[in-house]
Amino acid sequence: MFKVFDKDDELLNGSEFIQDEVMYNLFHRIIETENALCISTIDKKMVYAQTPNHNGWFWISDATEEGEKDKLVERFMEYLGNLDIQGVTGSTQAAELFAKGYAKVKQKKWHVYMEMEAYHCPFVKKNSMPPGELVVANMEHLEKVAFFLVEFIEE
C-alpha cells in the first residue's frame, strides 16, 4: 500500500498532485534532501515527505472520498510505527486529518500552530498604463517622496 520514493520518481508530476503543486511546491525541495523521509501510496493518492528535524508535509488527493481518507491515514499511522513527528504542514483539511490520526494512535493532543495560504496566478492580465510620465526624483520632489514613504509605513 505504501512505498518509499525519491527525486527520480515521477510521483510529483502526476495529474492529481500537479493540481495542488503551488501549495505543496516544497515537496520538490524536500525530496532532494539527503536522509529525507518520502512515502506515498502506490496509487499516488497520498504523499508524505519530511526532512530530518523538521515538520513533515502531507498531501492527500481531493479525489479520495472522505471515509477512505480516514482509513488511509489510519493505515499510514500503522506504517509509521514508532516514528515521532513534531508537526505536519498541508492544506487545513489534510493537516487536520493527519493530526487527528496521529494523535489518536499516539494518544496525544494536537493544535493548529499556524495556518498558511498559497496563491497562484493562472494567467497574467496586462496592466493599462495610467496617465503621466516617469521622472527621476530630485530635491524638488523631496516633500512628496517623504509624504508617500510616511503613508506607506503607516499603512
Side-chain angles (χ1 to χ4, degrees):
M1 166 157 261
F2 299 102
K3 69 173 191 157
V4 173
F5 71 96
D6 62 21
K7 64 183 177 186
D8 297 324
D9 197 306
E10 290 295 313
L11 171 91
L12 300 182
N13 296 322
S15 60
E16 287 187 56
F17 179 82
I18 215 83
Q19 294 173 16
D20 297 326
E21 185 181 28
V22 170
M23 182 184 224
Y24 289 95
N25 66 67
L26 196 57
F27 269 111
H28 293 284
R29 183 73 181 114
I30 292 170
I31 65 173
E32 293 174 352
T33 306
E34 191 175 330
N35 298 322
L37 175 63
C38 303
I39 302 167
S40 75
T41 53
I42 293 170
D43 64 4
K44 302 176 181 177
K45 301 269 186 202
M46 188 210 81
V47 181
Y48 178 82
Q50 178 183 1
T51 52
N53 303 316
H54 290 86
N55 289 354
W57 279 70
F58 180 71
W59 172 83
I60 191 163
S61 170
D62 287 336
T64 307
E65 293 186 23
E66 292 307 313
E68 184 62 28
K69 287 179 182 180
D70 292 331
K71 291 176 189 171
L72 196 55
V73 168
E74 189 176 312
R75 288 187 199 119
F76 186 57
M77 294 307 142
E78 291 169 8
Y79 178 84
L80 290 176
N82 292 329
L83 183 68
D84 280 328
I85 296 172
Q86 58 192 11
V88 67
T89 303
S91 69
T92 303
Q93 297 82 8
E96 184 175 318
L97 184 68
F98 186 97
K100 283 181 177 178
Y102 184 80
K104 181 180 176 184
V105 168
K106 297 286 187 168
Q107 298 180 340
K108 293 186 175 189
K109 293 183 180 183
W110 67 276
H111 68 277
V112 174
Y113 175 71
M114 181 173 77
E115 292 188 19
M116 67 173 199
E117 192 72 39
Y119 301 95
H120 74 285
C121 178
F123 63 93
V124 177
K125 292 191 307 188
K126 186 175 180 174
N127 278 343
S128 59
M129 290 301 292
E133 61 183 283
L134 283 175
V135 296
V136 176
N138 59 38
M139 290 308 288
E140 72 183 66
H141 303 109
L142 182 65
E143 284 185 39
K144 185 165 278 225
V145 171
F147 172 78
F148 286 136
L149 286 174
V150 168
E151 291 295 311
F152 177 77
I153 290 169
E154 288 178 355
E155 188 179 302

